[in-house]
Amino acid sequence: MKFQYWLSVCLVMLIGCVSTSTWPSPSSNDAGNAMLIRRGAYLAVAADCASCHRGVADAAPYAGGLAIVSPLGKIIASNITPSVSAGIGAYTEEEFRRALKDGIGRGGMPLYPAMPYTAYRKLTDDDIHALYAYFMNAVPPDDRRPPPTRLDFPFSIRSSMRVWNALFLDDTRAAKPLSPELERGRYLVDALGHCSACHSPRNWLMAEDNRNRYLSGGAVNGWYAPNITSDPESGIGNWTQAELVQYLRSGQVRNKAQAAGPMAEAVEYSLRHLDEADLNAIAAYLKQTPAMGTPDGASPAQAADTALAQAGASTSLPGAALYASACATCHRLGGQGAYDGYFPSLTRNSDVGADKPNNLIMTILYGVERRGENVTVWMPAFGQTLDDAQVADLVNYVGMRFGRRLTHVSADDVATLRKGGPTPAIAWLPYMMAALGLLIVIAIGYWLARVRGRHSRKDARQPD
Ligand code: HEC
Ligand code: HEC
Ligand code: HEC
């Protein structure tokens, strides 16, 4: 017993000696910490933590409170400053790792997947360590507590997320090893940038379909995150590497595409701050993804419509006058744009020519706002001044005149996007459950009535 005790004391001392002899001096340790924190700060930007977790009132970084609109209802982003009372100050590194990778908050509370842990699951432990060092040491604590998230039953029961996690958390590793640059690109796209959260379609339970339709286009609260696979027709296959890098850095490529809505936020808060090598790695990775058509993309009927649109005289459409009064000052009557592309051309714009009119409708309703390094891009929102029918007329005119597509957008289509897009099937779950509950009650009632009926018949036959 004694011998074992002294043996262990000696061992501990030996290990202590070896490890202290390899300890760096305090000053290089500080430099190491500073480097770790700086790396964590860069990772937080690449993972876009700030765009969801920003404060609402005075935009205090990471103070939370922003309501993330989801088909389940509004989910409030947490305060992730190191405040012990309101933020994540009490999180250990292991708890922080679990929140990011498993979607389990402190005390075992399952988080809603509005927090993109399905993507952060692929983060390396080294990067989680750097992120933790950054949040704990370099983010100023903010003691304001955001309001709690209140969803309707059954989504209010957080434990239901455990079932969802069991079904959909995916740990399959990519089969094909890539070059170091492409691996970096894959990591930025899949783990940090969580691009598939918007750019992959989802199933009826709101899980991303990355196995079959990776990055081939997905709906985001009324917007449409287009196909960004290497498909030359519906994806980014005909974009050059330089165009992709420029789009990610500035949100616009002249005569091609502009980033509005959720993509404008991704550019503003995250992508424009990434270094050149990382932007190139993302572009190179996207360019070699398997080409895939957009789900429910253009049909042959639409192609025929396009030919018709090219032949048709479009100036007589009801949207023409609206366009002249509301849009032409900036985009010009011929749609060619102005001021060196600051007001972009609509004749060569990915949203105007797109199969899906979503982004054109949403741009008219909500405008564009995107802050860059030295320029803020701004287009007014027309959602308050134009009604649904007027927006539909405008979209049909702009689509035909400049996008060479015959679109048949109705006032109802516009109304649907105004409220965040068509209701996905999962939102009907409470009603389905209520209907099922009612059926069960009726069935039990019927069964009880029959049993009782049988008993009373028996009672009637056997007088006591
Ligand atoms: C797309 C939006 C989004 C992004 C990006 C995002 N989060 Fe979150 N996060 C949320 C939401 C929403 C919640 C609250 C979820 C809930 O209440 O279930 C949350 C919760 C958390 C929590 C749990 C806090 C608590 O309430 O105890 C932590 C920790 C966290 N996020 C850290 C991060 C970090 C670190 C990053 C960047 C690496 C990040 N988040 C990026 C939306 C986001
Ligand atoms: C929060 C949702 C969201 C996230 C996250 C997101 N995107 Fe997007 N993205 C969109 C939307 C919406 C559009 C369409 C914007 C528009 O045209 O105004 C878009 C447009 C694009 C386009 C232009 C495509 C075209 O045909 O015009 C590219 C390229 C792109 N995104 C790449 C990325 C990459 C790479 C990432 C990850 C680093 C990413 N996106 C993350 C929503 C998102
Ligand atoms: C005050 C000037 C102004 C007016 C008026 C205006 N726009 Fe814009 N529009 C802009 C600017 C600025 C952008 C963003 C350019 C960028 O992202 O670099 C833009 C972008 C767009 C885009 C591209 C969005 C994308 O994500 O690709 C479309 C489409 C568009 N406008 C259509 C319209 C229509 C239709 C009208 C009339 C209802 C209109 N605009 C009125 C200035 C204007």
Side-chain angles (χ1 to χ4, degrees):
M1 192 66 203
K2 259 224 159 105
F3 170 72
Q4 278 171 348
Y5 172 77
W6 283 114
L7 187 69
S8 48
V9 167
C10 287
L11 259 176
V12 167
M13 281 170 68
L14 191 69
I15 291 169
C17 286
V18 171
S19 54
T20 41
S21 67
T22 56
W23 271 352
S25 62
S27 64
S28 79
N29 204 9
D30 286 353
N33 279 341
M35 247 167 72
L36 183 70
I37 290 170
R38 217 171 319 129
R39 197 160 70 81
Y42 184 82
L43 290 164
V45 167
D48 208 7
C49 313
S51 103
C52 294
H53 286 283
R54 72 190 131 142
V56 271
D58 50 5
Y62 305 119
L66 193 74
I68 313 282
V69 178
S70 87
L72 314 185
K74 286 184 179 149
I75 299 172
I76 314 289
S78 322
N79 176 333
I80 54 166
T81 70
S83 154
V84 175
S85 60
I88 58 166
Y91 268 70
T92 63
E93 184 169 334
E94 174 54 21
E95 286 168 336
F96 182 75
R97 196 194 66 77
R98 275 191 89 196
L100 262 64
K101 291 187 112 160
D102 302 338
I104 303 293
R106 195 148 184 274
M109 163 190 81
L111 300 174
Y112 293 111
M115 158 77 185
Y117 57 86
T118 46
Y120 296 157
R121 198 167 179 76
K122 302 189 183 79
L123 290 175
T124 62
D125 285 347
D126 264 4
D127 281 357
I128 302 249
H129 178 62
L131 277 165
Y132 184 74
Y134 165 67
F135 276 100
M136 291 302 157
N137 299 298
V139 172
D142 189 310
D143 292 334
R144 279 169 296 179
R145 188 183 278 280
T149 296
R150 294 195 197 287
L151 300 184
D152 288 339
F153 180 81
F155 308 119
S156 52
I157 303 176
R158 282 183 180 265
S159 305
S160 57
M161 291 301 122
R162 289 189 198 277
V163 180
W164 194 90
N165 290 343
L167 287 173
F168 299 119
L169 272 188
D170 186 8
D171 284 321
T172 42
R173 295 247 147 239
K176 200 172 67 172
L178 302 170
S179 70
E181 187 198 26
L182 293 179
E183 280 296 349
R184 177 69 184 162
R186 167 148 69 194
Y187 187 68
L188 283 157
V189 165
D190 286 351
L192 288 163
H194 56 278
C195 314
S196 69
C198 298
H199 286 278
S200 287
R202 289 175 185 259
N203 67 16
W204 79 276
L205 280 171
M206 297 305 295
E208 294 165 24
D209 182 3
N210 284 326
R211 202 157 296 170
N212 306 311
R213 311 228 52 106
Y214 177 60
L215 300 183
S216 65
V220 204
N221 300 328
W223 293 89
Y224 191 75
N227 185 325
I228 52 168
T229 69
S230 64
D231 190 279
E233 284 290 316
S234 39
I236 48 85
N238 67 3
W239 293 45
T240 64
Q241 167 94 7
E243 283 173 335
L244 274 169
V245 168
Q246 192 196 325
Y247 183 89
L248 299 173
R249 190 196 300 115
S250 68
Q252 63 93 27
V253 177
R254 202 165 163 200
N255 290 336
K256 200 164 197 105
Q258 276 76 36
M263 191 63 199
E265 292 190 357
V267 169
E268 180 177 331
Y269 287 94
S270 171
L271 296 165
R272 74 186 169 100
H273 303 284
L274 297 192
D275 62 33
E276 200 68 19
D278 276 350
L279 291 177
N280 270 297
I282 294 179
Y285 174 72
L286 290 182
K287 282 186 75 68
Q288 60 78 62
T289 51
M292 216 172 283
T294 309
D296 339 306
S299 61
Q302 261 175 314
D305 277 354
T306 309
L308 204 147
Q310 274 156 353
S314 49
T315 37
S316 58
L317 282 177
L322 271 172
Y323 179 81
S325 61
C327 324
T329 34
C330 297
H331 295 288
R332 301 300 192 245
L333 265 180
Q336 70 273 31
Y339 298 115
D340 232 10
Y342 178 82
F343 298 137
S345 153
L346 299 184
T347 54
R348 283 174 285 173
N349 172 277
S350 65
D351 283 346
V352 177
D355 293 341
K356 295 179 196 286
N358 297 43
N359 294 350
L360 179 54
I361 298 174
M362 294 296 278
T363 301
I364 297 173
L365 287 176
Y366 296 102
V368 181
E369 190 174 355
R370 202 178 60 242
R371 257 158 306 204
E373 220 148 344
N374 38 31
V375 61
T376 294
V377 171
W378 183 80
M379 160 172 155
F382 292 90
Q384 303 297 324
T385 44
L386 300 178
D387 66 25
D388 294 340
Q390 287 173 313
V391 173
D393 284 346
L394 252 176
V395 169
N396 291 332
Y397 171 75
V398 169
M400 181 191 263
R401 176 87 202 282
F402 306 125
R404 307 220 162 278
R405 255 176 207 288
L406 197 63
T407 42
H408 308 281
V409 169
S410 67
D412 283 349
D413 297 335
V414 177
T416 303
L417 293 195
R418 242 189 226 273
K419 64 172 183 57
T423 313
I426 193 172
W428 299 110
L429 202 63
Y431 302 100
M432 289 193 254
M433 284 176 64
L436 192 71
L438 199 68
L439 273 179
I440 292 175
V441 168
I442 292 174
I444 293 177
Y446 177 71
W447 177 75
L448 275 179
R450 280 195 57 164
V451 170
R452 211 174 288 153
R454 214 178 295 148
H455 273 286
S456 52
R457 276 200 298 278
K458 239 196 251 165
D459 290 350
R461 264 186 267 125
Q462 314 178 327
D464 46 358

